[in-house]
Amino acid sequence: MDTIEDYRLKLKKIADFAFGYGIDTILNEQFKLGNFDKLEKSILEKFYVVCHDGFKIAQKLIIEEIMQYQTFLRDSTIELKEYRRQQNKEKEESSQIKIRIIEQRLYNFSHIADGIAWLLIGGQIHIVRRLYIQEKSSKYLDSSNIEHAIKVAEKINENPNDFALISDLTGFIQIGDLLVRHNNFIEIIELKEGKINHEIKQFFESIEKTEKKITEEDLEKKFDTTTIKQIKRMQRQKERAFNATNIINNDKGQDPVTGANIIIGTPNISTEYYHKELSKLYDDLKNKIWAYTVIDRCLHIGMYRDEGIRMAPFIIKQLLKEETMNYIVIDWLSITHNLSEPLFCKPFPPEFIIDILTGKIKIIIGLNIDMLIYSFNVLGLKTKWLTEKETMKNKQSENRKEIFICNKRGIVSTLSNGQDLIISGGIISKILYDSIKPKNIAETILSLDCF
């Protein structure tokens, strides 16, 4: 396995291809000044092509690294089982640490792929949530159809204006095998191979030509029970891909999972981030081993390096314990396996991002939930705790939405039209991972009268 320095260099190299290749290659004074909107059309077109070139190189490197580290993971898991059989506690603990390092490095490589996907879909978090269907997966690339996916992706990528991202490389794309950008159009492609899949594909094509609706009788005449189940599964996957593609390109359509009709609303107020506060903490960290700030009286952020990392897990938690029983604390590195804006898409220096991903800098964020509720009320958004009974009732009735629960209780806000909004995990995630100020969350909810 790579040393931390070798790993750091690999991570930076791939990230540079994914997120800096376009600017580095088409570098001119207009880019330096940030006058991106004033660039000539020909330069813009060339810029997008070069960005795609960077994506393609990065994808090849990500595939190599993920497959290599998945081999490390497989071997280390076998090793751990052997140490447990031998009841060798010292080596068992060492092996567990090694596995955690490997797993985090795999998350980091996928996080780069997530960053590419984020750029392809224009940074729209509502689309990310539609592409993630909450299926648990620990699939190794070499046990999937990766070779077929690579072959098809490379064929698509021969066109300089197109880019096909392999879904299995990402952390959040669980619909389709490829996410493809053709100029300004996004497509989700399902790939199937093998004799049976070829027969199924031909069957679908023949039915589509006649515009005839497929019936159970049609299926039973041609296929056995096992194949019929596979056909229905493929049909569901095809419909999910179609629905997700429709939402991506039109901001409306059917939810790929629930089938409910949705329309994506656009907030009429600007989003306020606390990126500047994070950047200031990073600057402060150059002269000391820790830095700390509080945003909107409820959000506590600590940043640590070197010896300060040892105290990182305890300080924010202790501060919040003294304020309230109702709080949550996260290590910001967990962003690599969270549905949120990837680190590489935030306005931070590359060194800062690599420092976070490689553990050179530790960021701990804590949220005082009682103070968050108080702040929402001060801004005019009526908000309160639900009882445990009310929380369980709402949890059972909610369809797919993740209710945020702290100490067995949820939170409800009442909009100006009298409608109740149960605070979801997605709303809390916007504060913790998308770096949106809590105050701005309340203002956005008030402006939309829905979320």
Side-chain angles (χ1 to χ4, degrees):
M1 190 168 68
D2 297 317
T3 65
I4 184 64
E5 284 306 317
D6 287 340
Y7 171 70
R8 182 184 176 88
L9 289 172
K10 281 185 176 181
L11 202 63
K12 187 176 185 308
K13 178 183 177 181
I14 299 172
D16 286 345
F17 275 120
F19 310 111
Y21 193 67
I23 292 177
D24 290 343
T25 305
I26 315 290
L27 191 62
N28 59 44
E29 200 59 36
Q30 286 177 299
F31 278 106
K32 291 180 183 178
L33 297 173
N35 297 329
F36 188 80
D37 294 335
K38 297 179 181 179
L39 291 177
E40 294 178 7
K41 185 179 179 181
S42 61
I43 297 177
L44 272 175
E45 289 174 350
K46 187 177 180 182
F47 174 69
Y48 287 125
V49 167
V50 174
C51 283
H52 285 173
D53 290 341
F55 292 163
K56 293 166 188 177
I57 296 169
Q59 176 160 260
K60 288 180 180 179
L61 294 172
I62 291 170
I63 292 168
E64 291 175 9
E65 294 302 328
I66 287 182
M67 293 191 76
Q68 181 184 44
Y69 271 87
Q70 285 185 341
T71 299
F72 292 154
L73 181 59
R74 185 185 280 119
D75 292 344
S76 297
T77 303
I78 294 171
E79 183 182 70
L80 175 61
K81 289 179 180 178
E82 179 60 22
Y83 291 147
R84 283 176 173 166
R85 189 189 67 80
Q86 296 172 1
Q87 296 185 341
N88 190 326
K89 295 297 182 182
E90 185 178 344
K91 286 189 175 181
E92 179 184 336
E93 185 178 346
S94 175
S95 184
Q96 287 174 329
I97 293 171
K98 182 181 177 181
I99 287 173
R100 285 197 293 270
I101 292 171
I102 292 170
E103 288 176 335
Q104 184 56 57
R105 291 185 180 185
L106 282 166
Y107 277 128
N108 290 350
F109 287 126
S110 289
H111 198 59
I112 298 178
D114 286 341
I116 294 173
W118 184 269
L119 294 177
L120 294 177
I121 62 178
Q124 300 178 81
I125 188 64
H126 61 273
I127 291 174
V128 171
R129 296 190 186 284
R130 293 306 181 292
L131 296 178
Y132 180 73
I133 56 176
Q134 303 177 32
E135 288 185 349
K136 296 287 184 181
S137 176
S138 56
K139 184 169 58 178
Y140 287 85
L141 290 184
D142 61 11
S143 62
S144 68
N145 64 340
I146 187 65
E147 290 184 5
H148 183 47
I150 291 172
K151 185 178 179 180
V152 176
E154 287 180 345
K155 184 65 178 175
I156 293 171
N157 289 342
E158 288 176 3
N159 186 331
N161 292 310
D162 296 344
F163 174 66
L165 177 67
I166 298 171
S167 302
D168 280 348
L169 303 181
T170 72
F172 62 72
I173 301 179
Q174 295 185 327
I175 294 178
D177 296 298
L178 298 176
L179 178 69
V180 185
R181 186 174 188 88
H182 307 283
N183 290 321
N184 293 320
F185 182 78
I186 296 290
E187 182 182 11
I188 294 171
I189 297 178
E190 284 281 355
L191 301 175
K192 299 296 177 186
E193 57 180 342
K195 183 180 178 181
I196 295 297
N197 287 320
H198 181 66
E199 290 178 6
I200 293 172
K201 183 181 178 182
Q202 286 185 321
F203 172 72
F204 276 130
E205 288 174 350
S206 65
I207 292 292
E208 287 170 0
K209 284 179 182 178
T210 62
E211 297 184 356
K212 179 184 175 183
K213 186 176 180 181
I214 301 175
T215 65
E216 285 286 336
E217 187 178 351
D218 292 328
L219 296 176
E220 289 171 359
K221 284 180 181 178
K222 191 168 181 62
F223 303 105
D224 59 31
T225 304
T226 302
T227 307
I228 290 173
K229 288 181 180 179
Q230 187 173 344
I231 288 172
K232 291 181 178 180
R233 184 170 62 251
M234 286 175 64
Q235 187 65 12
R236 285 196 302 272
Q237 291 171 338
K238 187 177 179 182
E239 288 173 359
R240 281 177 178 175
F242 174 81
N243 290 334
T245 298
N246 194 32
I247 291 172
I248 291 172
N249 292 295
N250 302 308
D251 275 351
K252 62 181 180 180
Q254 285 188 317
D255 185 287
V257 175
T258 65
N261 290 318
I262 59 172
I263 297 176
I264 306 302
T266 302
N268 54 22
I269 63 170
S270 299
T271 303
E272 291 183 39
Y273 299 95
Y274 54 86
H275 293 147
K276 289 183 179 178
E277 287 82 350
L278 288 171
S279 294
K280 186 179 184 305
L281 290 177
Y282 184 54
D283 288 338
D284 291 346
L285 213 61
K286 294 173 183 176
N287 302 313
K288 50 187 180 180
I289 61 172
W290 65 274
Y292 168 76
T293 192
V294 180
I295 297 171
D296 292 347
R297 299 178 65 184
C298 62
L299 190 68
H300 299 248
I301 305 175
M303 195 177 293
Y304 312 85
R305 68 172 176 86
D306 301 331
E307 295 85 358
I309 289 177
R310 293 181 182 177
M311 59 184 180
F314 313 109
I315 295 182
I316 299 292
K317 185 177 287 188
Q318 187 58 42
L319 286 170
L320 286 165
K321 271 185 177 180
E322 293 174 4
E323 292 183 356
T324 178
M325 291 175 57
N326 301 308
Y327 66 88
I328 53 173
V329 176
I330 61 137
D331 181 335
W332 214 41
L333 184 58
S334 59
I335 195 173
T336 56
H337 41 98
N338 190 273
L339 288 180
S340 59
E341 178 187 50
L343 283 172
F344 293 101
C345 299
K346 298 180 186 295
F348 300 137
E351 296 79 12
F352 181 28
I353 296 170
I354 300 299
D355 281 348
I356 295 170
L357 293 178
T358 55
K360 192 173 182 179
I361 286 178
K362 181 74 71 178
I363 299 176
I364 304 295
I365 300 180
L367 184 63
N368 181 329
I369 309 299
D370 286 328
M371 187 55 69
L372 177 71
I373 292 173
Y374 174 79
S375 300
F376 278 16
N377 279 292
V378 168
L379 291 165
L381 181 62
K382 295 180 181 178
T383 306
K384 66 177 183 178
W385 285 103
L386 292 168
T387 64
E388 288 186 29
K389 186 176 180 181
E390 289 170 334
T391 300
M392 289 305 298
K393 183 179 179 181
N394 278 281
K395 187 176 180 181
Q396 291 168 359
S397 65
E398 284 292 311
N399 183 17
R400 190 177 179 239
K401 186 180 290 184
E402 176 200 353
I403 297 176
F404 172 73
I405 298 175
C406 180
N407 293 327
K408 300 181 180 180
R409 291 190 298 166
I411 303 167
V412 61
S413 293
T414 303
L415 307 178
S416 58
N417 60 7
Q419 180 184 352
D420 282 345
L421 171 73
I422 306 298
I423 299 299
S424 68
I427 291 177
I428 301 300
S429 178
K430 286 176 180 292
I431 297 172
L432 298 176
Y433 294 108
D434 292 329
S435 307
I436 299 176
K437 292 184 177 181
K439 176 183 174 183
N440 186 242
I441 293 288
E443 292 170 343
T444 302
I445 295 174
L446 286 167
S447 72
L448 286 177
D449 261 2
C450 65
F451 204 86

